[in-house]
Amino acid sequence: MRKAVRWLSVSPPRTLLLGFSIIIVIGAFLLQLPIATANGDKIGFVDALFTATSATCVTGLVLFDTGTYFSAFGHWVILILIQVGGIGFMTMATLFALILRRKISLKERLILQESLNQGSIEGLVRLVRKVILYALALETVGALLYTIRFASDMPVGKALYHGVFHSISIFNNAGFDLSGDFRSFSAYSSDLYMNIVSMGLIILGGFGFIVLADLVEVPFRKTRKFSLHTKVVLSVSAGLIVLGTFVIFVFEFTNGRSVGDDGFGHKLLSSLFQSVTTRSGGVTTVNISEFRQATQFFIIILMFIGASPGSTGGGIKTTTFAVLVGAVLAMMRGKEDVVLFKLRLAKERVYKAVTVTLFCIGIVTLGTMALATTEKAAFLSILFEATSAFGTVGLSMGLTGELTIPGKLTIIFLMFIGRLGPLTLTYALGPKPGRVLFRHAEGKIIIG
């Protein structure tokens, strides 16, 4: 037992692995309580584990309709799991430590560094304060805006309840909703107000707290310049949203089962919303399963890219995608260096981007193969589900509710890796790297 505890606490990645696992298991046990369901029935452990993992990993794939199946107690358990999973349990733990005026140790700073995906431990405690402040501020504003809209459809108390739940869920890119009958936000597909509020929360949550801090602080700096990281995140995010909107709009323009029967403005709004939500949002205003296969495959690509580092979203991240594109362009132009915004990237950054991408492709491939073995469904639907789980997106073509127990366990595994990060999991499970005593002689191999 001591060896197991020592192994888990030996490095920050292992501590994160253990922390997320404990939170998910506690959440699963709470959701198993009869008080957690509206009818008082006790759900199976695998189903509870699936729901707890989906909430903690801010994914949004659900086996039961959240609004009607779970009680208020169940809703609050899910909401707390979303908040802890979205911001990060180490960030929450640091907040309580700061409230209690306890000093943050070096080991805790190293774990925070891993959790927030930072390059150094400098300024981490200050960053944690900003993370908490920005998250609570944006969630509060979102809750207020949602409550104002919901108040026209339901009593004020219920509108506030729905406003708080949806604001936290959507800002954390979790995708859980209380709409009922698995409708998500389809009732508001033509509601410009609801679309703008929801897209704003998804985008801001997907930017990452480092970018949010940069956006807030730049006007007060002397240089008034964004960091390279912020420039890359903003430009790639904007580019992918515009590209996604265009592709979905063109491919679905004449599809009467999705947006084809709507007016031009409604089609454009629905296309924009779907482009935004595929980046890890998880809520929808149209039925994804009715999209054309070309559109569904393109959404898979967007889900695989995902949100940005240090955010509540998943995927390989926008910065990784930018580095890969930069490397390809550099190779095509015969350049040795990858340059973004007139700044050269270190080769180790390029290697890491390639490594992360290959890891992610491998994990999604293995997950898809496992699901194709255990589930009876079309291959594209299986690939969509696996990518959505790994990218912690939460969109589904209808396969989630029909999963077998092995299929549920596969999706749980994909959601967990997607939230924790493939490299973090590798560092956690792998042996401690030893000291390099020599280098091999250089060899040559033909590429292409």
Side-chain angles (χ1 to χ4, degrees):
M1 182 65 182
R2 289 182 179 179
K3 288 184 178 180
V5 173
R6 192 182 303 118
W7 181 87
L8 284 166
S9 61
V10 105
S11 68
R14 290 176 185 174
T15 304
L16 288 177
L17 175 68
L18 177 63
F20 269 104
S21 300
I22 290 175
I23 291 169
I24 289 170
V25 171
I26 292 174
F29 278 115
L30 290 175
L31 290 175
Q32 268 202 301
L33 298 174
I35 195 177
T37 59
N39 57 11
D41 292 338
K42 182 179 179 180
I43 64 176
F45 180 72
V46 173
D47 292 344
L49 185 66
F50 186 101
T51 305
T53 305
S54 183
T56 307
C57 298
V58 290
T59 304
L61 292 174
V62 293
L63 300 171
F64 313 101
D65 182 73
T66 308
T68 57
Y69 187 82
F70 291 102
S71 64
F73 176 83
H75 293 160
W76 281 109
V77 170
I78 291 172
L79 202 61
I80 292 171
L81 291 176
I82 290 171
Q83 187 72 86
V84 174
I87 294 180
F89 79 93
M90 273 308 300
T91 305
M92 299 294 288
T94 304
L95 172 64
F96 288 117
L98 293 173
I99 292 174
L100 297 174
R101 299 184 180 277
R102 188 176 68 82
K103 187 176 180 181
I104 311 300
S105 67
L106 176 61
K107 182 180 177 181
E108 290 168 335
R109 291 172 190 265
L110 290 172
I111 298 171
L112 270 174
Q113 177 187 350
E114 185 73 28
S115 177
L116 295 172
N117 199 18
Q118 295 299 291
S120 69
I121 63 173
E122 183 181 357
L124 276 178
V125 176
R126 187 167 61 253
L127 178 60
V128 167
R129 292 194 182 99
K130 293 177 183 177
V131 167
I132 299 295
L133 176 63
Y134 298 154
L136 293 180
L138 289 171
E139 287 171 353
T140 301
V141 172
L144 178 62
L145 294 175
Y146 275 136
T147 301
I148 292 173
R149 176 61 184 85
F150 288 138
S152 61
D153 299 330
M154 58 188 75
V156 176
K158 187 177 180 180
L160 178 62
Y161 182 76
H162 278 238
V164 171
F165 187 97
H166 288 104
S167 179
I168 294 175
S169 175
I170 293 176
F171 173 74
N172 286 285
N173 284 197
F176 282 82
D177 67 87
L178 303 178
S179 301
D181 298 325
F182 298 99
R183 290 179 299 149
S184 193
F185 274 15
S186 58
Y188 303 100
S189 62
S190 59
D191 191 318
L192 183 61
Y193 179 90
M194 284 290 287
N195 276 261
I196 291 176
V197 172
S198 300
M199 287 189 292
L201 288 173
I202 293 171
I203 292 171
L204 291 173
F207 275 164
F209 296 106
I210 301 160
V211 174
L212 291 179
D214 214 12
L215 290 172
V216 172
E217 294 171 3
V218 157
F220 304 100
R221 295 178 189 161
K222 292 182 179 180
T223 58
R224 296 194 177 183
K225 291 183 178 180
F226 290 127
S227 65
L228 175 62
H229 175 81
T230 299
K231 290 178 181 178
V232 171
V233 168
L234 293 178
S235 58
V236 175
S237 297
L240 290 174
I241 289 173
V242 172
L243 177 63
T245 302
F246 175 77
V247 171
I248 295 172
F249 180 78
V250 171
F251 283 13
E252 297 301 313
F253 191 84
T254 58
N255 185 1
R257 292 175 299 178
S258 59
V259 301
D261 292 336
D262 301 327
F264 183 87
H266 190 183
K267 290 180 183 179
L268 186 60
L269 182 62
S270 297
S271 300
L272 175 61
F273 189 92
Q274 293 312 127
S275 178
V276 170
T277 197
T278 53
R279 309 290 311 295
S280 204
V283 289
T284 62
T285 57
V286 293
N287 190 349
I288 298 289
S289 63
E290 298 293 346
F291 278 177
R292 292 192 169 104
Q293 289 189 350
T295 312
Q296 292 168 345
F297 185 74
F298 182 75
I299 289 175
I300 289 174
I301 297 173
L302 291 179
M303 292 192 299
F304 185 74
I305 296 173
S308 302
S311 72
T312 56
I316 64 170
K317 304 295 189 293
T318 53
T319 49
T320 302
F321 178 70
V323 172
L324 291 177
V325 172
V328 171
L329 293 176
M331 181 64 68
M332 291 173 63
R333 295 170 180 171
K335 305 286 186 180
E336 184 177 350
D337 296 326
V338 176
V339 178
L340 298 176
F341 291 96
K342 298 181 180 180
L343 291 173
R344 174 177 56 85
L345 299 182
K347 283 187 172 22
E348 64 180 35
R349 296 291 175 183
V350 181
Y351 295 153
K352 186 173 183 179
V354 173
T355 303
V356 167
T357 304
L358 290 178
F359 258 109
C360 294
I361 291 174
I363 291 168
V364 171
T365 300
L366 290 174
T368 303
M369 291 173 64
L371 289 174
T373 304
T374 62
E375 311 305 313
K376 294 181 179 180
F379 178 76
L380 187 62
S381 178
I382 291 173
L383 177 61
F384 192 100
E385 204 82 7
T387 309
S388 178
F390 176 75
T392 68
V393 179
L395 297 178
S396 176
M397 289 170 58
L399 180 60
T400 302
E402 302 173 359
L403 290 171
T404 61
I405 290 180
K408 293 175 185 177
L409 294 175
T410 300
I411 293 295
I412 288 172
F413 178 71
L414 288 171
M415 290 189 294
F416 186 76
I417 295 179
R419 182 64 184 99
L420 196 63
L423 288 185
T424 300
L425 186 66
T426 303
Y427 295 151
L429 299 178
K432 187 177 180 180
R435 184 180 178 185
V436 179
L437 301 176
F438 65 93
R439 295 180 68 189
H440 292 282
E442 184 178 347
K444 294 184 178 180
I445 187 172
I446 300 173
I447 302 295

